[in-house]
Amino acid sequence: MKVTLTAKLKLNHTEAQKAALDAATLAFRDALNYTSKRAFDMNKCSGAAKIQKEVYTHLREVIGLPSQMACSAPRQVAACYKGLWTKCKDHHTRQKFIQSVKPGHQPRPFRGFEQPAKFVSRTLEYQYGKDYTWKKDGKVSVLTLEGRQIMTYQGYSKHLELIQSGCEVGGAKLSYQKSKKQYFLLVSLEVDLPDPQPADHKNVVGVDVGQRFHAVVTNTRNRTTFFSGQQTNHQKEGFARVRQSLQRKGTRSATRRLVLLSGRERRFIADRNHSLASQILKTYPQAIIGLENLKDIRTRTEGRSNPQASLKAKRARRRRSQWSFAELQTFLAYKASLVGSMALGVDAHYTSQQCVKCGHTSKGNRPQAGLMFVCEVCGYQVHSDLLGARNVTLRALAVRQDWTATGALSVRPDVSSVEAKAERLQRYSELRWSSDTSLRL
Ligand SMILES: [Zn+2]
């Protein structure tokens, strides 16, 4: 099994090298925006070769990119439009489904294609062996407009060891941190790990992510851990207050502060997610970890923003929409594979409404949409976040049993899609034990 890691390397650049990187990243950004506009005019084309044919001469002669970079700009733009097309298709399927359930629903238009995709951040993509390579004694060589620049780098010691041991490397991305005037090289490393076997895992664990508790974790032996979000939420409120007052001010220096702050906030969240993931993996070793598939859970639970909502509701919405749960799950998944655990995606539907004792599923199981889950049928009571985690655990256990029985771990279907849901309901309807008791002759 191959696992891809991203190593973040700090480049030790001199003034002259930084100027060269500046020129390269800015030119590349111009190239991306030009290419994006052309691809947009070509009916939002997502074919890299086709776009390249159109823009290559311009990128080489007018913007002055080296040939490698003039090839990677169309590739990046094509990938961007491909993603937009997928989103567009998903959007229309969802709208059609809503129409079939709610006749008279006005389908919302897809907004992703109203104008050409715009590239704002200063980045540059490299391909290993073509435009960046390792040099001897811990140096890296990267391509700029004025030829290759060779510099030393720093990073996480385990990542450096991997690089030195000659592990397989993929693409790299140059990124710029404005507040520190510093370039980083994000390199993807491919690590070969033994394939996981069902018998490797002693724990079956479910993780419920949320606002009140950033993670509630439980296993099949009823060991439970709550990771509170209270303190970090409080800190995030602080960030939000500062942001708001700066936005109101609207001066140039306020905008500058805002840019610095946004990076700091993002890193703060990433840091918290990294440490959460590590703690969970330490507490539950050798585990199969069930994670809810949260794809478009936000649109499902949140709806659109409502300008008339109360201040309190707005604040709650902002808080919910700004914690990156998907990031926590990604961290968990990749760290798990490094320590001999494994993350699985499970269906997220009804995890907060389904009784784990009797199976009764209803919105009414959450009286006043409150903190407690109270089953309408059997009266079972439990904290609602813990209920979510229990349901995820049960679903992970079911997958694990399947895996042992069949020897194959089936590829998880896109369980958030409407068709998958319908298919699942259909499958369960066939499971009813026959009530036909007449004698068959
Ligand atoms: Zn019940």
Side-chain angles (χ1 to χ4, degrees), residues 297-438:
I297 200 156
R298 196 170 297 159
T299 45
R300 234 178 37 215
T301 55
E302 291 293 315
R304 265 180 295 179
S305 68
N306 174 10
Q308 260 112 49
S310 72
L311 196 66
K312 198 175 161 197
K314 270 186 191 161
R315 189 178 296 158
R317 182 190 149 82
R318 184 178 64 220
R319 240 197 239 157
R320 266 198 298 279
S321 62
Q322 279 177 0
W323 196 266
S324 181
F325 302 115
E327 187 184 67
L328 173 60
Q329 296 185 325
T330 319
F331 288 173
L332 259 175
Y334 98 80
K335 280 174 201 272
S337 56
L338 294 178
V339 295
S341 292
M342 189 176 71
L344 292 174
V346 304
D347 189 345
H349 288 120
Y350 308 120
T351 44
S352 59
Q353 297 172 21
Q354 206 153 47
C355 177
V356 283
K357 295 282 173 191
C358 74
H360 176 64
T361 305
S362 151
K363 264 192 186 155
N365 286 348
R366 295 281 295 277
Q368 284 111 44
L371 262 180
M372 286 306 279
F373 171 92
V374 183
C375 180
E376 291 175 314
V377 173
C378 73
Y380 175 62
Q381 288 197 17
V382 66
H383 188 284
S384 59
D385 292 339
L386 178 55
L387 178 95
R390 290 233 165 105
N391 268 317
V392 175
T393 311
L394 286 178
R395 289 173 195 193
L397 179 65
V399 176
R400 160 79 150 92
Q401 287 172 330
D402 236 26
W403 185 18
T404 315
T406 59
L409 196 58
S410 47
V411 176
R412 170 172 59 88
D414 183 4
V415 282
S416 68
S417 77
V418 173
E419 301 94 42
K421 189 173 169 187
E423 192 190 314
R424 198 180 67 249
L425 292 176
Q426 171 68 29
R427 184 150 42 96
Y428 288 135
S429 74
E430 287 163 8
L431 287 177
R432 239 171 97 177
W433 200 271
S434 168
S435 54
D436 184 2
T437 50
S438 60

Side-chain angles (χ1 to χ4, degrees), residues 142-192:
V142 295
L143 183 68
T144 65
L145 301 183
E146 294 121 71
R148 286 165 194 273
Q149 302 290 336
I150 298 173
M151 52 199 105
T152 55
Y153 54 83
Q154 293 160 271
Y156 178 45
S157 56
K158 276 193 186 163
H159 289 159
L160 298 184
E161 268 168 40
L162 281 170
I163 294 171
Q164 253 136 41
S165 71
C167 82
E168 210 178 308
V169 288
K173 206 171 171 183
L174 190 66
S175 84
Y176 183 59
Q177 193 174 319
K178 244 184 180 171
S179 56
K180 289 188 179 149
K181 298 196 167 42
Q182 172 68 49
Y183 280 96
F184 292 90
L185 192 65
L186 308 171
V187 184
S188 63
L189 306 173
E190 295 227 327
V191 187
D192 216 355

